[in-house]
Amino acid sequence: MEHARKDEPNAAATPDVEQLMKDIASLRREFSNLVDHMKAGASDTARASAEQLGDRARVVYDKLAADADRSAKAIARQVEEQPLLSLLIAFAVGFVASRLLSR
């Protein structure tokens, strides 16, 4: 009889163990889906951030290009208006630079 009593709890526990295994498998699938969802969300966020960064870089580049163009035009105008002074300034800058670089 003792042998029969040992089998009875195992027989009753088997459906519980099977249900527990099914629950664990279900939790694994749900966790896997959650991880996949989080990865997709993170990549979407990273992509959006990269696009914003690219847009900002383009704006900064355009502004710098416009400033450089204005500066070049101002320098060209100054050289046309006072060519001798511009030549003397260029010579002085070159002379100072050559002295500094020769050391």
Side-chain angles (χ1 to χ4, degrees), residues 13 19 23 27-29 31 33 47 52 59 62-63 66 75 80 86 88 90 94:
Q19 183 61 40
D23 289 344
L27 285 172
R28 284 183 181 168
R29 282 190 304 273
F31 184 74
N33 290 339
R47 188 177 307 112
Q52 287 177 350
V59 167
D62 290 342
K63 184 178 183 225
I75 291 171
E80 288 176 3
S86 299
L88 289 174

Side-chain angles (χ1 to χ4, degrees), residues 50-65:
E51 287 175 3
Q52 287 177 350
L53 183 61
D55 291 342
R56 289 180 185 167
R58 228 175 280 118
V59 167
V60 169
Y61 174 79
D62 290 342
K63 184 178 183 225
L64 287 174

Side-chain angles (χ1 to χ4, degrees), residues 26-39:
S26 176
L27 285 172
R28 284 183 181 168
R29 282 190 304 273
E30 289 177 14
F31 184 74
S32 177
N33 290 339
L34 178 63
V35 168
D36 291 342
H37 180 70
M38 289 174 64
K39 285 180 184 177

Side-chain angles (χ1 to χ4, degrees), residues 4-5 12 17 31 44 46-47 60 66 69 72 84 91 93-95 97:
R5 287 182 186 167
V17 171
F31 184 74
D44 289 344
R47 188 177 307 112
V60 169
D69 189 45
L84 186 58
F91 177 77
V93 169
F95 182 76

